[in-house]
Amino acid sequence: MPPSQKRPTRRTRHKRLVLTTFESVPSYRLKLVFLILSLGLLGLISRMAWLQVIQTTKLQARARAFQIQRVEPLAARRSIVDRKGRLVALDEERFRLWAHPNNFHFPGDHPDSLRKPIEVARKLSGLVSKSVNELVESIGGRASGVRLVGGLDPEVASEIRKLGISGIELEPYLQRVYPQNELFANVVGFLNDDRVPQAGLEQSLNNVLLKRKEPVRRFRLARDGTPLPDDLAPGVFYRDDDQLQLTLDSRLQELSSKALKDAVIKWNATKGVAIVMDVTNGELLSLASFPTYDPNRFWKYSSALFKEWSVQDLYEPGSTFKPINLALALQEGVIQINGTVNDPGVINVGGWSLRNYDFGSNGVMNFAEVLQASSNVAMVKIMRNLNPSRYWELLHLLGLDSEPQTDLPGAVAGYLKPKEEFVNQPIEPAVASYGHGFSLTPLKLAQLHALIANGGYLVRPHITRGLQGRESTFPPVPQNSSPLLREEVTKVVRGWMESVVETNSVFGFKKIDGYRIGGKTGTADKLVNGVFGNGLKVCSFVANLPADDPRYVVLVVVDEPKGAGAFGSTVAAPAAKEIVEGLLVLEKIPPSN
């Protein structure tokens, strides 16, 4: 075997054993390790003490922020209802539709795909008030935050959610809705688009009765979102469902509004008001004005319509004030129940010749006939028996020149001449005897006729009863505790007013069979720039019923009717009769005995 083919020799390997010599650890190293461990343990203990003792309150607050749900109310307002519980104003949930085109996806789309605005517009156009082109134009080239439409009701919002389109957002908000439309606009008012009260009770009672008393709600949640029973604050699930109840009756308000509207349109008048008042407590069952507006579309109307002129505008009442003057004369003893007065047709006062409205004379009359004929001359002769100073004091006592106590917003005081001028100028008490020379609001006149009807008490006119809910709160309305007129005086004057209707001296208000009703017309010339005789007038009619035990006063006032035959008896009386007939039915007033 050649040498190159020799097998390699086998070597034997031996493991070498290495012996390690252990050296003793220096004691300082052990102490150093022990010190480090001790310091670490002390640091952990200090940290635990810091967190559990010093930082407890702060950490608990952070934990509660994750565990507790905080629900804030949507600035909701209480609903308003009439005396029978019919809704007048309420909050309804609405939605604004927002678009974010940079995130348009349909259900099932690939995450990287992006839908075009026109594709989204096609799906939305059938649900909203805008067409496809209008929606696309609204989006334009913007990437996000595009407001498409507002005022969507919950049903439409639900249908939009079902589409499942990403990039479409529904923002909830509350919208004030007035289901009776213009029927109560003159007293309730409205909220603008920013929910800021602009008129009526919405404004005057905004912070007092209409804002719901709903605090921010907080409660702990379990892992699945269920509210935990512990740590629940008392009343956390309570909802303020109280409603503001009015004294007004929707049915009577609608009837009054229609009768008033017909009169204003027929006589081409500027405006009109109709009032129905409960004389026992001052509650207003109806307070209608025309022209008016729809609070749901307030932006379409002139702001001049947003005030209630029956409490904010003054006028001279004319002959409707004659029963008040007769009551004052009888109260002061300057006339007797069975007395008479002569009406020659003209009387001179301080160089002024005062006449009757028809320029005629009536001869000798009793006081019931004075009202029937509406004699100005007779009233001048009656009231000049009363000392002018005392006369002024009585008018002041009735509150002619003071702001009335009422919950109607914007109520103003009437105007009465200064006492010195009234006393020293004979013409002032003379014209005041038949309702001129001073001014008041229609509401004030209704209050004064309620004084005649209820036996001499000055009630407080009002249209709100209080809050109605789980615990209705109807606070008593403060009234005058002592009468201003004797009951026997008011009873006599009511009889004289009843004779006006019984004798058919009011052509537009014929006697209603079975019912005793007192009434008085009024036709007052308007003073414009200090001048009478321009043809402008205010026509009115006031009634109390039933005359044997009065419960209601009805007043209709029509401003500036046009036409030669425009008088209280032809313009206001027919509307008042229509309202009275409806009142008899709605309030189920039995026939008089």
Side-chain angles (χ1 to χ4, degrees):
M1 181 177 295
S4 60
Q5 295 180 356
K6 289 182 179 181
R7 296 178 180 177
T9 59
R10 188 174 185 180
R11 296 180 180 180
T12 304
R13 296 181 178 178
H14 299 279
K15 294 183 178 179
R16 181 180 293 179
L17 298 175
V18 179
L19 298 177
T20 304
T21 303
F22 291 96
E23 297 180 0
S24 60
V25 179
S27 60
Y28 77 91
R29 292 177 64 182
L30 293 175
K31 293 177 181 178
L32 180 62
V33 172
F34 179 76
L35 179 62
I36 292 172
L37 292 175
S38 298
L39 290 175
L41 182 60
L42 182 62
L44 290 175
I45 294 174
S46 300
R47 179 62 175 168
M48 291 176 61
W50 173 262
L51 294 176
Q52 296 188 10
V53 178
I54 307 300
Q55 294 285 313
T56 300
T57 304
K58 182 177 180 179
L59 293 176
Q60 284 181 345
R62 291 179 62 184
R64 290 287 185 266
F66 289 101
Q67 299 169 358
I68 295 180
Q69 181 176 355
R70 186 173 185 271
V71 180
E72 294 191 19
L74 283 174
R77 299 171 69 81
R78 292 188 173 110
S79 299
I80 302 176
V81 298
D82 78 343
R83 68 189 294 116
K84 301 295 185 181
R86 301 179 185 89
L87 279 168
V88 174
L90 72 155
D91 277 349
E92 286 190 353
E93 189 178 36
R94 293 289 187 269
F95 294 85
R96 298 184 185 95
L97 182 62
W98 296 83
H100 307 285
N102 59 356
N103 195 34
F104 278 165
H105 297 285
F106 289 168
D109 283 354
H110 190 275
D112 295 334
S113 65
L114 192 65
R115 293 284 182 170
K116 295 180 179 179
I118 192 171
E119 296 178 275
V120 174
R122 287 176 182 145
K123 287 184 173 290
L124 295 176
S125 62
L127 298 174
V128 299
S129 58
K130 290 186 177 181
S131 65
V132 174
N133 292 336
E134 289 174 330
L135 290 172
V136 173
E137 184 179 350
S138 297
I139 295 173
R142 288 176 287 179
S144 183
V146 182
R147 179 176 172 177
L148 296 180
V149 69
L152 299 177
D153 58 44
E155 291 77 13
V156 174
S158 177
E159 294 298 320
I160 292 176
R161 288 194 191 97
K162 291 178 182 179
L163 297 176
I165 303 175
S166 297
I168 290 297
E169 177 188 2
L170 288 164
E171 176 194 5
Y173 68 96
L174 293 175
Q175 178 172 308
R176 198 66 163 171
V177 178
Y178 303 92
Q180 307 280 0
N181 299 320
E182 70 277 358
L183 196 58
F184 293 97
N186 59 316
V187 291
V188 172
F190 65 95
L191 306 184
N192 65 12
D193 291 337
D194 296 322
R195 291 182 64 78
V196 177
Q198 297 297 306
L201 296 178
E202 293 279 25
Q203 185 176 52
S204 64
L205 301 181
N206 180 49
N207 295 320
V208 182
L209 293 175
L210 288 176
K211 280 189 176 180
R212 290 193 185 278
K213 308 302 181 184
E214 293 186 2
V216 175
R217 303 181 184 124
R218 296 179 176 87
F219 48 89
R220 293 181 61 193
L221 299 177
R223 185 182 183 90
D224 61 353
T226 304
L228 296 176
D230 60 324
D231 290 341
L232 281 181
V236 69
F237 294 113
Y238 165 74
R239 175 176 172 80
D240 181 358
D241 288 325
D242 288 346
Q243 299 173 318
L244 176 63
Q245 187 174 41
L246 305 180
T247 63
L248 302 174
D249 188 322
S250 296
R251 301 168 302 171
L252 188 60
Q253 181 82 354
E254 184 175 5
L255 188 151
S256 301
S257 298
K258 181 182 179 302
L260 182 66
K261 179 181 178 181
D262 291 344
V264 170
I265 293 177
K266 177 181 178 181
W267 292 94
N268 193 24
T270 302
K271 57 191 176 185
V273 62
I275 299 174
V276 179
M277 179 188 292
D278 187 328
V279 303
T280 63
N281 54 21
E283 286 187 351
L284 298 181
L285 280 70
S286 173
L287 180 56
S289 291
F290 186 83
T292 184
Y293 65 98
D294 184 353
N296 296 302
R297 299 175 178 83
F298 63 89
W299 58 88
K300 293 185 176 181
Y301 298 85
S302 168
S303 59
L305 297 177
F306 297 162
K307 72 174 185 176
E308 172 48 40
W309 81 275
S310 67
V311 297
Q312 296 179 347
D313 285 0
L314 303 178
Y315 81 110
E316 293 186 346
S319 295
T320 50
F321 201 81
K322 289 174 180 175
I324 311 296
N325 277 326
L326 286 177
L328 296 179
L330 198 59
Q331 173 88 3
E332 294 298 306
V334 298
I335 61 172
Q336 303 302 317
I337 296 176
N338 298 320
T340 59
V341 60
N342 181 38
D343 172 15
V346 63
I347 187 171
N348 188 278
V349 179
W352 296 84
S353 294
L354 304 180
R355 301 177 183 276
N356 294 321
Y357 77 95
D358 58 358
F359 296 94
S361 62
N362 296 286
V364 178
M365 298 184 293
N366 60 35
F367 301 122
E369 293 170 334
V370 169
L371 289 184
Q372 295 168 22
S374 197
S375 171
N376 295 339
V377 173
M379 288 302 304
V380 173
K381 298 182 73 172
I382 291 170
M383 298 309 294
R384 72 179 179 183
N385 294 323
L386 182 61
N387 181 278
S389 178
R390 180 56 179 165
Y391 188 14
W392 186 94
E393 290 172 356
L394 291 171
L395 295 177
H396 176 72
L397 183 63
L398 293 178
L400 257 65
D401 55 347
S402 59
E403 186 176 312
Q405 294 183 343
T406 178
D407 55 5
L408 283 160
V412 299
Y415 175 73
L416 181 62
K417 296 286 179 65
K419 184 176 182 179
E420 183 179 357
E421 181 180 352
F422 190 90
V423 172
N424 296 327
Q425 298 290 337
I427 191 63
E428 296 301 336
V431 296
S433 68
Y434 53 88
H436 284 74
F438 63 90
S439 55
L440 43 64
T441 63
L443 182 72
K444 182 63 181 180
L445 182 63
Q447 182 192 36
L448 294 179
H449 273 278
L451 176 82
I452 300 293
N454 65 22
Y457 291 88
L458 198 64
V459 295
R460 176 177 174 263
H462 61 283
I463 59 171
T464 58
R465 278 186 167 177
L467 296 180
Q468 180 191 56
R470 293 182 300 178
E471 297 181 1
S472 297
T473 55
F474 296 152
V477 178
Q479 309 289 358
N480 242 336
S481 57
S482 57
L484 299 182
L485 297 174
R486 296 193 305 274
E487 184 176 0
E488 57 269 24
V489 168
T490 61
K491 185 176 181 180
V492 170
V493 175
R494 289 200 304 269
W496 293 343
M497 291 181 66
E498 183 181 359
S499 73
V500 175
V501 176
E502 290 287 332
T503 58
N504 290 329
S505 60
V506 183
F507 302 111
F509 197 107
K510 301 297 182 183
K511 179 182 176 182
I512 300 176
D513 291 340
Y515 291 92
R516 295 174 57 187
I517 299 172
K520 183 68 188 82
T521 59
T523 307
D525 290 330
K526 292 189 68 173
L527 185 68
V528 179
N529 298 324
V531 178
F532 284 108
N534 48 33
L536 301 179
K537 60 184 71 175
V538 180
C539 296
S540 54
F541 182 83
V542 62
N544 59 65
L545 67 145
D548 50 336
D549 185 18
R551 179 69 187 275
Y552 302 103
V553 159
V554 177
L555 172 65
V556 174
V557 182
V558 179
D559 188 31
E560 297 184 9
K562 311 298 189 298
F567 298 99
S569 59
T570 57
V571 176
K577 184 179 182 183
E578 189 174 342
I579 295 171
V580 167
E581 290 174 336
L583 178 65
L584 294 174
V585 175
L586 294 176
E587 294 299 315
K588 300 177 181 179
I589 301 174
S592 302
N593 294 324

